[in-house]
Amino acid sequence: MTDTDAVDVPQASIALVDVVLPCLNEAAALPWVLSRLPEGYRAIVVDNGSTDASAEIARAAGATVVAESRRGFGAAAHAGLLAATAPIVAFCDADASMDPSILPVLVKRITDGRTELILGRRVPTTRGAWPLHARFANRALSFLIKRRARIAIKDLGPMRAANREGLLSLDLRDRRSGYPLEMLLKASAAGWRIEELDTPYSPRVGRSKVTGTIRGTYIAVKDMSKLLREVQ
Ligand SMILES: Nc1nc2c(ncn2[C@@H]2O[C@H](COP(=O)(O)OP(=O)(O)O)[C@@H](O)[C@H]2O)c(=O)[nH]1
Ligand SMILES: [Mg+2]
């Protein structure tokens, strides 16, 4: 037996990347999403009190399921980060709008030492993938981020990856829709390099909880405006 044989443990048993999937009633989307996780990537499905079979489906597919009783995207995303143990943590929606099989392309930017926070810039695959009002709101948001925080990004997308310990050190507080923006602002303030990569964005499976609803959009705008007002 050589030295290399001795450390040759099966790939799947060591997660290089933990993938946090905030999940609120995504039973229809989860089977596909979880089937797309690359080798060495562990799914952490954070169930926010789903009333459908999301948690059972996730467990049956071999995902780690974390229950978070406080509602909110940030509450779920952060519970996933706290449950993660891998050196790199990625975030991805559980609605089948984005394909986890693309994550290694993003993660490589981190492991190559090119950047500290990598964001997936959503590129719609069909006309229906991204509702017009959401696209417009996102463009306005990118403009404000540039003006207030001097960060030049084209899209504040939810697919992203970074070093786990780094993310924990950012001390993120938002537990609703401001979480992705707070991560960006604090990463930038901490001097992190931030990059975007184009990622395909397809129509989600099932019903939207955030930007596809008036209440969801209202909360997102409110949470994000508050964070931007606080930028020094
Ligand atoms: N855990 C949890 N997940 C949520 C919540 N709201 C949305 N999600 C999940 O976060 C992701 C993004 O939400 P989605 O409804 O697709 O928002 P949209 O892409 O802006 O329409 C999906 O995977 C949802 O299941 C929430 O309050 N709690
Ligand atoms: Mg979505």
Side-chain angles (χ1 to χ4, degrees), residues 31-215:
W32 181 82
V33 173
L34 295 173
S35 77
R36 304 289 294 176
L37 254 77
E39 188 80 24
Y41 282 53
R42 175 172 75 132
I44 300 180
V45 173
V46 187
D47 178 29
N48 226 185
S50 296
T51 50
D52 67 7
S54 291
E56 294 82 57
I57 289 170
R59 242 176 251 119
T64 297
V65 177
V66 173
E68 170 56 61
S69 55
R70 277 170 306 170
R71 272 288 163 96
F73 179 85
H78 201 69
L81 172 60
L82 293 179
T85 53
I88 308 261
V89 176
F91 297 83
C92 181
D93 279 0
D95 61 1
S97 62
M98 35 196 88
D99 185 349
S101 75
I102 202 174
L103 281 170
V105 183
L106 275 73
V107 166
K108 192 165 184 298
R109 300 288 176 118
I110 307 286
T111 50
D112 281 354
R114 287 187 51 150
T115 189
E116 279 79 44
L117 177 64
I118 183 79
L119 305 173
R121 177 188 175 200
R122 289 168 286 187
V123 180
T125 55
T126 61
R127 279 165 66 92
W130 208 352
L132 205 63
H133 75 275
R135 244 164 125 164
F136 179 76
N138 195 64
R139 190 164 306 173
L141 179 62
S142 299
F143 175 79
L144 284 176
I145 291 170
K146 195 167 185 179
R147 211 179 58 180
R148 296 279 305 157
R150 310 248 165 267
I151 308 167
I153 58 154
K154 296 218 166 66
D155 179 30
L156 186 72
M159 184 181 261
R160 45 187 63 201
N163 177 284
R164 182 176 59 87
E165 284 176 6
L167 286 170
L168 289 170
S169 75
L170 294 180
D171 190 25
L172 301 174
R173 297 297 171 94
D174 188 289
R175 294 296 179 263
R176 294 198 309 190
S177 300
Y179 191 83
L181 175 60
E182 187 188 15
M183 187 188 292
L184 176 73
L185 295 175
K186 286 193 167 166
S188 171
W192 291 20
R193 288 165 299 171
I194 296 159
E195 266 189 39
E196 280 183 305
L197 268 180
D198 285 0
T199 50
Y201 191 56
S202 307
R204 77 165 357 268
V205 171
R207 275 216 328 270
S208 168
K209 325 293 178 319
V210 187
T211 55
T213 68
I214 291 174
R215 186 185 135 77

